[in-house]
Amino acid sequence: MNPPDTGDARATGAIGAAGAAETTGPVPAPVQTEERLREAMAALAGHVHPAPDAYRTARGQWHRRERRRRLVLGALVAVVFTLATLVGLWVLNSAPATSPGVFDGERMPAPSAPPGG
């Protein structure tokens, strides 16, 4: 009976000429690796100390960016509105003077309501 395989033989480079997997040594279990990583991260995090006013500073920066974003958006809306208005006025003003206006010509009588309605 063969011992259980603890890792991928291709990852360890232990594949024989016939393609059969040969184990070259114990491969650390994923649980051990996770524990070692957890300990290393905890040790690293233990040495990190935030500045006392870090939250206030980050919040102030966020508020400044938010104000700037709103100001830029408002200015952009005003510019687009002004340009659209100017283009509309230019188009209306560039119509030839000889062309009939919207209400020129013979007027049609207003439709009357049907009897009994």
Side-chain angles (χ1 to χ4, degrees):
M1 185 166 165
N2 292 337
D5 190 14
T6 58
D8 188 9
R10 288 174 288 178
T12 60
I15 302 229
E22 301 170 6
T23 57
T24 58
V27 177
V31 174
Q32 292 174 346
T33 304
E34 288 179 20
E35 287 177 9
R36 289 177 59 197
L37 281 172
R38 188 174 293 117
E39 291 171 1
M41 295 303 270
L44 183 63
H47 296 296
V48 175
H49 301 290
D53 61 343
Y55 176 75
R56 186 179 9 208
T57 303
R59 187 170 182 243
Q61 290 173 351
W62 179 78
H63 279 292
R64 277 192 294 279
R65 284 192 305 267
E66 184 70 18
R67 277 193 303 268
R68 183 180 303 146
R69 183 188 66 82
R70 288 183 182 186
L71 181 65
V72 167
L73 185 63
L76 184 64
V77 166
V79 166
V80 168
F81 180 78
T82 303
L83 285 176
T85 303
L86 290 175
V87 166
L89 289 173
W90 176 73
V91 167
L92 289 173
N93 193 35
S94 65
T98 60
S99 68
V102 176
F103 297 112
D104 287 347
E106 192 174 315
R107 290 190 170 215
M108 301 288 290
S112 60

